[in-house]
Amino acid sequence: MDERGRSAQTFTVDVVVRGTIGRRVVAQGQDIYAVSAPLVVEAVDRVLTGRTRVTGVASAGRIFDAPDFLRALAAHLTVETPA
C-alpha cells in the first residue's frame, strides 16, 4: 500500500481503433479498484448536472466528452495518445 492506500498493482488499458483514421489511446494507473470509485462519481456527477451529450441508452464514450472525462480523472490515471 502507498500513502493513499492504493495497492502496488498497476494497470494498462490500450485501445486501438482501426478504420479510415486510426486512433490509439493508452491509460495507465495504479490499483484499478481505487480508480473505479472516482470514475463512477465523475459519471454520476455529470449525469446529475446535465453534462451529457445524449440521453437514453448509450456508451460512456457517446454520453460524455471523452477527453474531458479522462482529464477529470487525471489525479488517478495517465492518458497518452501515442503517434
Side-chain angles (χ1 to χ4, degrees):
M1 296 271 179
D2 68 4
E3 68 281 351
R4 293 172 58 186
R6 299 176 303 177
S7 76
Q9 298 173 350
T10 59
F11 67 89
T12 300
V13 178
D14 190 347
V15 178
V16 178
V17 177
R18 292 186 170 92
T20 305
I21 300 174
R23 298 274 193 248
R24 180 174 180 214
V25 175
V26 178
Q28 297 178 313
Q30 181 179 341
D31 192 350
I32 189 70
Y33 296 106
V35 175
S36 298
L39 188 147
V40 170
V41 169
E42 182 65 27
V44 169
D45 180 63
R46 287 171 184 251
V47 169
L48 294 177
T49 58
R51 292 182 291 151
T52 59
R53 297 192 309 184
V54 298
T55 59
V57 178
S59 69
R62 184 138 160 72
I63 294 171
F64 306 117
D65 177 276
D68 185 57
F69 191 91
L70 291 171
R71 278 191 298 276
L73 297 172
H76 308 285
L77 53 86
T78 59
V79 177
E80 300 172 20
T81 52

